[in-house]
Amino acid sequence: MSNRPAYIHHVNFPTTDPERTKEWYSKVFGLKAITPKSNTRIVLMTRGNFDLHFTPVDEMDRMSPYHFAVEVEDWDGFLAHLGELGVRRTRTIERPENNSKFCYIHDPDHTMIEIVHHGRRPGPGGAPSPGPSGKGA
């Protein structure tokens, strides 16, 4: 029996407009809305390998500098996708020490999302392989 978590199942963020949130996350990240089996107002969305949940709120509290990060496999392709959708982003920062790059975007409620790409990261989809300590390589 292990006392280490296997993975993060989902994270939950506020949304002031559930329908706008569903549309934006579908277009930007290819997430699909899931119909909840219970009587809940929470928006459930999935990519199959990770889920995002959104709780409707009347007013949005500023979340910066809090954010979540999404690893992309094709950096240039994803940035082109953002450009086609008209999603504004910060300039790209490169980290030569681990061959990575990142930038930030914001969803319609101004939730900050870091877009990350690691060029030399082992494991499926660029995800780190757990080492002996259980931490990423």
Side-chain angles (χ1 to χ4, degrees):
M1 181 160 108
S2 171
N3 63 350
R4 293 189 312 222
Y7 55 87
I8 293 175
H9 180 269
H10 72 270
V11 292
N12 190 311
F13 294 96
T15 178
T16 58
D17 186 333
E19 291 306 314
R20 179 183 66 190
T21 295
K22 283 184 205 177
E23 182 181 334
W24 193 86
Y25 280 87
S26 293
K27 284 194 296 190
V28 175
F29 294 112
L31 275 78
K32 291 184 171 44
I34 302 168
T35 303
K37 294 193 186 320
S38 63
N39 186 18
T40 182
R41 294 178 49 225
I42 294 176
V43 174
L44 309 175
M45 300 199 72
T46 190
R47 272 258 324 164
N49 58 341
F50 71 89
D51 295 356
L52 296 177
H53 296 181
F54 299 90
T55 300
V57 297
D58 292 330
E59 287 185 41
M60 188 70 178
D61 289 330
R62 184 171 167 88
M63 291 189 49
S64 290
Y66 308 110
H67 68 279
F68 67 95
V70 175
E71 179 86 23
V72 297
E73 293 179 337
D74 177 359
W75 180 259
D76 293 330
F78 194 79
L79 293 188
H81 169 66
L82 292 177
E84 290 167 5
L85 294 174
V87 175
R88 293 181 57 189
R89 64 178 182 85
T90 63
R91 69 181 177 87
T92 298
I93 305 291
E94 297 195 30
R95 295 185 187 123
E97 65 274 12
N98 67 355
N99 195 26
S100 70
K101 46 184 101 175
F102 68 95
C103 68
Y104 293 96
I105 64 174
H106 289 86
D107 78 4
D109 279 306
H110 306 289
T111 300
M112 188 163 55
I113 304 163
E114 183 177 357
I115 307 301
V116 186
H117 174 73
H118 289 82
R120 286 191 305 251
R121 192 169 257 198
S129 299
S133 66
K135 296 181 181 171

